[in-house]
Amino acid sequence: MTHSISASQKQKGFTGTQVLLMMLAAVVITAGVSFLVIRTYIFPQPFSPVTLNDKETQKLDKKLQQLGWQSDSGARRQASSANDLTPEPYRESDANRQVTLSEKEVNSIIARSPDFAQRVAIDFSDNLASAKILIPIPRDFPIMAGEILRVNAGLDIHLDKNRRPVVALVGVSLMGVPIPNAWLGNMKNVNLVSEFGDRGFWNTFADGVDDIQIHDGELYIKLRK
């Protein structure tokens, strides 16, 4: 009977080979997770710039013209068709004041700038614009010189009860770690438009916007008359 119990207890335990394999698996998993964290947050790879086909580019350029922004490609097309211009009366319509930009279109605009093409990526969700930013650390900096720092940030964008735009910082994280509000100058959840809207950019921005909405994958703007 004693011999039987002893044999049963031995069968329930792990052999030396099994223990070794489990230790090896734990080491491999830990190394894999560490590598993923390092590549994603500490030494992230540059983003792939978003590109549009010709039809998408023409559609985007038309939207940008509604906002008073003449892109290089749009300017070239306008110059090439200058001889075909015919006089016409000036008109305004509500349709021309409304512009919807997709997440892909916004990222393609960013990709047109060599300084931001591989360093900034924008995401749109309900009332939230999020950005991933890769910031190069100067080579004369004492820590992580020459490496790339990954920063994530979010902005809450909507209209308040008075139909005035609200742009508020939701938060900022550094390499995946949220930065305390005190370190951000207590600017989290502060409406930048009302805080700095008495003059300058934010005041001009608010006065010129009749409606602004962010939904999953798109930004909608309606300009005032």
Side-chain angles (χ1 to χ4, degrees):
M1 183 67 175
T2 302
H3 177 74
S4 176
I5 293 176
S6 178
S8 176
Q9 290 176 340
K10 288 182 179 180
Q11 290 177 358
K12 290 182 181 179
F14 296 104
T15 65
T17 302
Q18 290 174 323
V19 172
L20 181 61
L21 289 175
M22 285 189 291
M23 292 176 62
L24 181 61
V27 170
V28 171
I29 293 173
T30 302
V33 171
S34 300
F35 176 79
L36 181 62
V37 170
I38 291 173
R39 288 296 299 272
T40 302
Y41 293 105
I42 301 180
F43 305 123
Q45 295 298 305
F47 301 138
S48 298
V50 175
T51 58
L52 304 177
N53 58 37
D54 291 340
K55 184 177 181 180
E56 291 172 329
T57 300
Q58 292 179 18
K59 183 179 179 181
L60 174 60
D61 288 340
K62 185 176 180 181
K63 294 179 180 180
L64 294 179
Q65 288 174 17
Q66 290 179 240
L67 296 174
W69 184 353
Q70 183 70 59
S71 66
D72 290 340
S73 56
R76 287 194 297 269
R77 280 196 297 271
Q78 189 174 20
S80 64
S81 60
N83 294 331
D84 299 329
L85 291 177
T86 56
E88 61 180 30
Y90 175 77
R91 297 183 179 89
E92 286 189 1
S93 66
D94 285 341
N96 290 336
R97 295 189 182 93
Q98 302 177 46
V99 179
T100 299
L101 296 172
S102 70
E103 184 180 294
K104 182 178 181 181
E105 288 174 331
V106 171
N107 281 298
S108 73
I109 294 172
I110 294 173
R112 295 179 181 183
S113 169
D115 294 332
F116 301 108
Q118 295 182 310
R119 296 180 182 176
V120 179
I122 302 297
D123 174 85
F124 291 143
S125 56
D126 289 344
N127 295 333
L128 181 66
S130 303
K132 292 180 181 178
I133 308 171
L134 300 182
I135 301 176
I137 300 177
R139 295 192 176 278
D140 58 352
F141 198 72
I143 302 175
M144 297 176 63
E147 301 297 342
I148 302 295
L149 198 63
R150 178 170 179 163
V151 178
N152 289 37
L155 288 176
D156 176 16
I157 302 177
H158 64 278
L159 292 181
D160 63 16
K161 61 182 180 181
N162 297 320
R163 304 291 297 175
R164 294 282 289 180
V166 173
V167 180
L169 180 66
V170 175
V172 178
S173 64
L174 185 64
M175 297 193 301
V177 179
I179 297 178
N181 190 24
W183 293 5
L184 298 173
N186 294 315
M187 292 302 298
K188 290 179 66 174
N189 302 315
V190 174
N191 184 6
L192 301 178
V193 177
S194 61
E195 187 75 11
F196 304 102
D198 57 336
R199 63 187 183 279
F201 167 77
W202 291 113
N203 185 52
T204 303
F205 170 77
D207 288 343
V209 173
D210 185 57
D211 191 8
I212 184 169
Q213 300 177 28
I214 293 184
H215 300 294
D216 189 17
E218 68 178 24
L219 166 67
Y220 168 79
I221 301 175
K222 182 179 179 181
L223 304 180
R224 293 186 187 273
K225 293 182 180 181

